[in-house]
Amino acid sequence: MLFKREFKRNLRSLIIWSIIIAGIILLYLSIFPSMAKEQANMDNLMNAVPSGMQKAFGMDRLSLGTLLGFYGIEIHLMTTLLGSIFAALLASGIVAKEQNEKTAEFLLALPISRQTIIAQKGAAVAANVALFNLVIVAASLIGFQFSSAQTLSYKAFFLLELAVFMMHLTFAAVAFLFSAVARRTRSIVSMSLGLVFIMYFLSVVAGISDKLSWLKYVSPFKYADAAQILTEQSFRPLYAVVMAVVIIGCFFAAYGYYRNKDIVV
């Protein structure tokens, strides 16, 4: 089964990235109890940060002295940025690499249609991203036990992680479309990673400048904004719908293009 083949080919990468992100989460959450004791000093430190930077990173609405506030400021950046890079790298090469590695001839000789090939590759991408996000959730829940005396809203936490999961899928879907359309894996990886960093830069600019706040509707990073989700305890339906449309649209576009693509073997 092609799905199993693709899953196994990417399993090592998934394990490595999962260990890295879980280690970061557990490390940060393990030092939170000692930092919480210095809440006054931490708040003073945050107040020294320019107001624009406070807005960009949610420091104006979250506190490092609370567990979810600390998570939203310190850890959320890691899970969103590193997770998006993982998703983009995973999806950007999963189709085009068949030509680069000269395995397209073997793949197309199998008694399965092109539609099945692209659908199962897409399913492998989605499964890897889902498992990676399950690791994030599991590591976070374990890490929260270091501060069991702190109360937190699990509703807000799971809404935040839902937004992060959809954001990762969004970048994976766009990179998957790049992979289906382009022919050279190296250029696809560059475009996919470039997109991640550009979107992150736009989210920071949207947070700093009121005049450019409209950029938040362009960047998926603002759709998974920790300060908004954790303070309001809601994931705005508009953001969920936009990301869902992009995810579904990119996967179907990749499906349609690959079906008629002229593949040189």
Side-chain angles (χ1 to χ4, degrees):
M1 186 178 179
L2 185 59
F3 173 83
K4 291 183 179 179
R5 170 179 175 266
E6 290 299 331
F7 189 83
K8 288 181 179 179
R9 288 176 74 177
N10 293 284
L11 183 58
R12 182 181 178 185
S13 175
L14 173 63
I15 292 173
I16 292 172
W17 279 89
S18 296
I19 292 173
I20 291 172
I21 197 67
I24 291 173
I25 292 171
L26 292 172
L27 175 63
Y28 271 70
L29 288 176
S30 68
I31 64 175
F32 170 74
S34 60
M35 293 184 65
K37 295 176 183 178
E38 303 293 332
Q39 182 173 357
N41 293 332
M42 295 305 300
D43 288 340
N44 290 334
L45 181 63
M46 288 177 59
N47 290 333
V49 177
S51 59
M53 295 300 292
Q54 289 185 32
K55 289 178 60 179
F57 295 99
M59 298 177 186
D60 58 329
R61 288 180 286 173
L62 298 175
S63 171
L64 284 172
T66 64
L67 185 54
L68 281 184
F70 177 83
Y71 189 93
I73 295 173
E74 297 290 344
I75 300 174
H76 181 68
L77 171 61
M78 301 295 179
T79 59
T80 52
L81 187 56
L82 292 180
S84 297
I85 292 172
F86 165 72
L89 287 173
L90 169 71
S92 59
I94 199 165
V95 178
K97 68 182 177 184
E98 300 293 352
Q99 288 178 253
N100 279 15
E101 297 175 2
K102 310 300 182 183
T103 56
E105 184 176 7
F106 166 76
L107 189 63
L108 295 175
L110 295 175
I112 53 176
S113 66
R114 287 194 180 192
Q115 294 94 315
T116 301
I117 292 172
I118 195 68
Q120 294 200 17
K121 282 179 175 286
V125 170
N128 274 270
V129 173
L131 287 173
F132 182 76
N133 277 266
L134 283 175
V135 170
I136 292 175
V137 172
S140 300
L141 292 175
I142 293 171
F144 289 156
Q145 304 311 307
F146 292 124
S147 309
S148 55
Q150 283 254 347
T151 58
L152 70 147
S153 169
Y154 284 100
K155 173 187 175 182
F157 169 72
F158 283 113
L159 284 174
L160 179 63
E161 295 313 312
L162 173 61
V164 172
F165 172 53
M166 291 193 69
M167 189 194 73
H168 291 165
L169 275 182
T170 300
F171 282 114
V174 175
F176 188 70
L177 177 58
F178 289 164
S179 185
V181 172
R183 295 182 180 277
R184 295 181 179 178
T185 305
R186 188 172 299 176
S187 63
I188 302 168
V189 171
S190 299
M191 288 190 299
S192 300
L193 291 181
L195 178 67
V196 171
F197 290 118
I198 289 171
M199 291 297 105
Y200 176 71
F201 173 75
L202 292 180
S203 73
V204 173
V205 172
I208 294 175
S209 173
D210 291 334
K211 292 182 180 179
L212 296 175
S213 61
W214 57 270
L215 287 174
K216 68 183 180 181
Y217 296 110
V218 177
S219 173
F221 282 96
K222 293 303 289 184
Y223 292 3
D225 182 53
Q228 178 263 309
I229 295 174
L230 294 179
T231 55
E232 299 177 10
Q233 296 196 21
S234 67
F235 177 27
R236 295 180 181 176
L238 174 62
Y239 295 166
V241 169
V242 171
M243 287 194 286
V245 169
V246 172
I247 293 166
I248 295 171
C250 285
F251 274 111
F252 272 100
Y255 178 90
Y257 186 89
Y258 188 80
R259 184 176 54 185
N260 302 306
K261 184 179 180 180
D262 181 21
I263 299 177
V264 180
V265 297

